[in-house]
Amino acid sequence: MSLVTDTAGKDKVLVSCDNTVTCYTLKTGVSCSTEGTPSKTSSTAAAAINGKIVAKVVEAGLQITFPDGREIMDPSLKIKTVDGEILDVAGAFVGPSSGQALVQLQEGTLAYFILDSSSVDGSAAAWVRYEALASTVDFLFAELPAPTPENEAQWAAQQPSTSEALQMQLVALKAQVGLATPPETAAIERYRALTSDRLRPTRDPDGFRRQLVVTTATGKVLALHTGDGRVLWSLDFGAAAAPHRLASWRTPHDVLHDALIAAFRPVGKDLIITVINTHTGKVENEETIEDGAVEGAEVVPLGISYHEDSADQQVYAIIIPSSSASQISVVPRTEGARTAFAQQAQHLVHWRIVKGSSIISGVGFDSTGKERLVWTVDAAPKESGMSILAVAARDPEESVYSAARPIPGGGIMLKHLSPNTLLVVAGKASSSSQNSRIIASILDAVTGKVLFSQVHTEAAGPVHGIVSENWAAYHYWNVEMERWQIAVLDGYHPAPADLSVLDLALNRPAAANATATSVSTTPPTFERQVFTTRLAVSTLGVTKTAHGTAAKMVLIGTTGGQVYMLDRRMLDPRRPFVPAGTKPTPAQLAENLPPYHPELAVAGPMFATMDRRVARLNKIATVPAVLESASLLVAVGLDVFYSRLQPSRGFDMVPDDFPHALLVAMVGGMAVALVALKAVLQQRALKLKWD
């Protein structure tokens, strides 16, 4: 990252990171638009680099010395790594006016300072931006602490007093009639943000408040509050020991204990596993795997856990290649982990790609815990020059509402819901040749069986894929049409003749849940379709909800840095073909699918990022909330974007702006009216008796 001062307005700064330039307003730190990329550093910035301003980290904190000898000292920006090393300043730049400075630290933090002319000692930063997030490597969602009397009292102490609240209510009334001044409007916004439940430091019963734990290439691990993105805690390991992966480590059974995550950090040839408390950011433990970071070493989540005290401990395998046989280290190094691995070793298979080739292999473990080759598949013809462009697997924790799909006429199709489904697409990364092609295959990751395969002629990469429930979709470039296309595959099994929709609805014995292994199951049949789209894709995702009943949305991350929500029904291969000028038949209407059209329409309101742009968007992830209607989205590139999605709208919740006070007033008014009416009726009845 390098910094260049703005040569035009002198109130902005341009931050250059990996050939991408971002503009920030100096007074606020808010992003602003820029025109073009500067070709050279301005004279002001060059003077700062040449020593007219000195910034360094000393024992007391970050010290900035201006040419006239005045200083700014900020103790909060003295950043140490976990090992005790103090991170120094990477660059310092003078501001457009005297007594202003922009400082970048080694771990990526960007801070802007304004020296108080009446104070020799200076002041704290006007604003701070954690630009280390521009190099995000991995991330995961974690729960916030449960509410306790202590943290609730701490939250209450930070709230405005009663007099301040009343004053803000009066200002809000002025704003409603258009009489509030701009400072008063800003004060209202700050008050609403401060008192919003979204910012509480504890979890909520709806599962909306979470923390996003992020690791960066600069060696920083941060926990961000999803309410406003503020940093709850951070750890610095230094760029030389930066974690390259985060994973769940220990999951408690109750809210009284803290969850733990693991940060896998390569240090030289060794791999250090740092266990971090997600609620406090404290390093609880570290394990060192010798030679665990050599070329070709893998961290394999085994998908198994064992019960220990009041929590479930996840088990991982570190596979270290060697000339004879790969060495396997099971972590954590406990008797419980070794026992759990020994019991499940012969049933575990993970897949591996030979880089730059079209070969994918399934690797398992024998009874002694050593690696064994289970299967090998070449996803393309030999000597074709193709390589694997994309691999996608189904999330084993994804909830599925129904294993069957009714079809017109009272029939049923059973979904192919194997958690071992793999989508493998091979081809050439890019090609202008009319003879290029890609090959898409559906594999079983346990047996290596090719369940389905199809070829797209005049097609090339880049390719991005997604697998969810019983379907897979992938996006590629059609060389002949010069258009982007999305292909979709749906897998089904035939239902027993005596199984009906009524059996499924009433859970009759005929609809008893029957499972099959990858070895014994019959091959599914696949329905397929191809659609054209105008969206160039950088990554794909899909919404997930707690029980899978809400509508599925395919999340399309575009090269323009936006996330588009595409209704899964638009990608259904069973979309009926309705000739122009005719109406759908009753059978076609029964499936509740839009008529087939070769091009997928793009609707502006369906952009989850709205008017925001995530530069170099490269990853999308979703997790379910507790409420079925909500799915939590995070999109990562040079920025981190978070949002709460409602694919089927808020069918199980009231909106945030619901007029609760009006409802209470209406109910209270009705109660008073009933009491008054009862008294009137009693008076009338008494009068009738006397008459």
Side-chain angles (χ1 to χ4, degrees):
M1 181 185 292
S2 61
L3 292 90
V4 182
T5 57
D6 180 34
T7 58
K10 292 189 177 183
D11 61 346
K12 301 178 178 65
V13 64
L14 303 181
V15 180
S16 175
C17 179
D18 297 334
N19 298 323
T20 297
V21 177
T22 305
C23 172
Y24 297 110
T25 302
L26 284 175
K27 291 184 179 180
T28 62
V30 177
S31 299
C32 54
S33 60
T34 60
E35 297 182 1
T37 302
S39 59
K40 61 182 180 179
T41 304
S42 68
S43 58
T44 306
I49 296 173
N50 291 334
K52 290 189 177 181
I53 181 174
V54 178
K56 60 183 178 180
V57 178
V58 296
E59 189 63 29
L62 174 62
Q63 182 185 49
I64 305 172
T65 304
F66 290 89
D68 58 4
R70 294 186 297 172
E71 294 183 352
I72 290 178
M73 181 70 69
D74 193 331
S76 65
L77 290 179
K78 179 184 178 182
I79 300 176
K80 290 184 178 181
T81 66
V82 173
D83 299 328
E85 178 187 356
I86 298 178
L87 298 178
D88 208 345
V89 173
F93 301 81
V94 296
S97 303
S98 176
Q100 299 182 8
L102 185 70
V103 178
Q104 177 200 353
L105 301 181
Q106 286 181 340
E107 42 77 65
T109 298
L110 195 66
Y112 185 64
F113 296 87
I114 300 176
L115 181 66
D116 186 355
S117 58
S118 62
S119 173
V120 178
D121 296 331
S123 58
W127 52 262
V128 176
R129 292 185 64 96
Y130 294 95
E131 292 300 325
L133 292 174
S135 60
T136 296
V137 176
D138 196 13
F139 58 90
L140 55 80
F141 282 93
E143 293 286 356
L144 288 167
T148 63
E150 292 77 12
N151 55 38
E152 287 295 302
Q154 183 180 6
W155 167 260
Q158 298 173 356
Q159 298 304 297
S161 63
T162 304
S163 60
E164 292 174 334
L166 291 174
Q167 183 181 0
M168 285 297 103
Q169 293 298 330
L170 294 175
V171 175
L173 289 176
K174 290 179 61 179
Q176 288 182 356
V177 296
L179 299 177
T181 62
E184 288 177 332
T185 303
I188 294 172
E189 295 298 327
R190 290 193 298 269
Y191 171 78
R192 289 174 177 171
L194 183 62
T195 57
S196 173
D197 280 346
R198 295 187 301 107
L199 307 186
R200 284 181 177 268
T202 55
R203 69 185 69 176
D204 63 304
D206 297 332
F208 295 157
R209 291 197 299 266
R210 303 282 182 93
Q211 57 179 329
L212 183 68
V213 184
V214 176
T215 181
T216 70
T218 60
K220 203 174 187 71
V221 178
L222 309 98
L224 309 177
H225 194 292
T226 57
D228 58 354
R230 70 181 184 274
V231 178
L232 300 175
W233 54 262
S234 66
L235 294 172
D236 289 279
F237 296 96
H244 69 278
R245 181 171 186 165
L246 296 174
S248 175
W249 185 256
R250 188 178 174 88
T251 306
H253 295 159
D254 53 52
V255 299
L256 300 178
H257 296 82
D258 298 347
L260 304 179
I261 62 171
F264 295 86
R265 305 190 293 119
V267 181
K269 292 185 177 182
D270 299 335
L271 181 69
I272 297 179
I273 304 172
T274 303
V275 180
I276 304 171
N277 187 312
T278 59
H279 294 172
T280 63
K282 177 183 176 183
V283 175
E284 301 285 350
N285 186 30
E286 284 192 337
E287 295 188 27
T288 301
I289 308 298
E290 295 183 358
D291 296 327
V294 298
E295 185 177 358
E298 297 178 83
V299 178
V300 180
L302 299 177
I304 59 177
S305 61
Y306 66 94
H307 182 75
E308 184 180 61
D309 298 330
S310 60
D312 287 332
Q313 174 67 57
Q314 280 70 39
V315 182
Y316 298 86
I318 314 299
I319 302 177
I320 305 171
S322 63
S323 56
S324 55
S326 298
Q327 301 177 11
I328 299 175
S329 295
V330 178
V331 292
R333 292 173 172 172
T334 61
E335 185 63 31
R338 289 189 289 269
T339 301
F341 176 69
Q343 292 173 348
Q344 300 292 330
Q346 298 183 67
H347 306 292
L348 301 174
V349 179
H350 65 280
W351 49 271
R352 181 181 297 161
I353 297 175
V354 179
K355 190 175 181 180
S357 74
S358 58
I359 297 175
I360 182 172
S361 303
V363 181
F365 307 95
D366 58 23
S367 57
T368 63
K370 294 183 179 179
E371 265 196 326
R372 62 184 178 92
L373 182 63
V374 179
W375 53 265
T376 299
V377 172
D378 195 338
K382 294 183 178 179
E383 300 180 359
S384 63
M386 296 183 180
S387 60
I388 292 178
L389 302 179
V391 178
R394 185 186 161 202
D395 182 359
E397 298 182 357
E398 180 184 27
S399 297
V400 179
Y401 175 65
S402 175
R405 174 175 181 170
I407 56 177
I412 291 176
M413 297 188 299
L414 299 180
K415 298 177 182 179
H416 179 69
L417 296 175
S418 170
N420 307 313
T421 301
L422 276 183
L423 168 68
V424 181
V425 183
K428 295 184 178 180
S430 60
S431 175
S432 58
S433 171
Q434 296 296 318
N435 297 321
S436 61
R437 58 177 177 163
I438 62 172
I439 303 174
S441 304
I442 300 293
L443 307 182
D444 188 289
V446 173
T447 63
K449 293 179 182 178
V450 179
L451 305 177
F452 179 82
S453 182
Q454 69 178 3
V455 179
H456 298 273
T457 58
E458 280 78 39
V463 176
H464 302 278
I466 186 72
V467 176
S468 176
E469 293 191 2
N470 66 315
W471 56 271
Y474 51 97
H475 178 277
Y476 62 93
W477 175 252
N478 188 305
V479 178
E480 182 181 23
M481 297 176 59
E482 295 187 349
R483 298 289 298 273
W484 296 106
Q485 291 188 318
I486 298 180
V488 62
L489 304 169
D490 280 22
Y492 295 97
H493 293 277
D498 59 344
L499 184 63
S500 67
V501 176
L502 190 60
D503 293 329
L504 292 172
L506 300 179
N507 196 26
R508 291 174 177 172
N513 183 25
T515 59
T517 66
S518 293
V519 178
S520 62
T521 187
T522 57
T525 58
F526 283 86
E527 297 185 353
R528 50 186 172 169
Q529 189 57 272
V530 176
F531 301 91
T532 301
T533 178
R534 289 175 286 171
L535 299 175
V537 172
S538 61
T539 184
L540 291 175
V542 65
T543 56
K544 302 183 185 74
T545 55
H547 304 287
T549 60
K552 284 284 185 182
M553 291 286 181
V554 179
L555 302 175
I556 300 177
T558 70
T559 55
Q562 293 184 305
V563 178
Y564 184 77
M565 299 184 295
L566 179 66
D567 193 329
R568 150 67 183 150
R569 296 180 305 160
M570 302 299 292
L571 287 179
D572 198 306
R574 294 180 61 85
R575 285 179 61 179
F577 177 74
V578 181
T582 63
K583 295 182 178 180
T585 64
Q588 292 174 335
L589 291 173
E591 293 202 65
N592 193 29
L593 293 175
Y596 171 78
H597 192 278
E599 183 170 354
L600 297 170
V602 177
M606 297 305 293
F607 282 96
T609 45
M610 295 174 288
D611 59 340
R612 304 299 177 90
R613 177 177 175 268
V614 183
R616 297 194 182 183
L617 175 61
N618 58 65
K619 193 171 184 180
I620 292 174
T622 57
V623 295
V626 175
L627 286 183
E628 172 59 24
S629 63
S631 182
L632 309 182
L633 161 73
V634 62
V636 172
L638 289 182
D639 300 302
V640 177
F641 174 85
Y642 169 82
S643 183
R644 188 177 79 204
L645 307 180
Q646 292 180 314
S648 298
R649 300 187 179 181
F651 61 84
D652 55 356
M653 61 180 297
V654 295
D656 295 336
D657 58 350
F658 183 80
H660 295 87
L662 179 61
L663 178 62
V664 172
M666 291 175 61
V667 173
M670 291 176 64
V672 172
L674 286 173
V675 172
L677 182 61
K678 182 178 179 181
V680 171
L681 291 175
Q682 288 177 343
Q683 290 287 343
R684 179 173 295 182
L686 182 61
K687 183 178 180 181
L688 289 174
K689 288 180 180 180
W690 280 103
D691 293 341

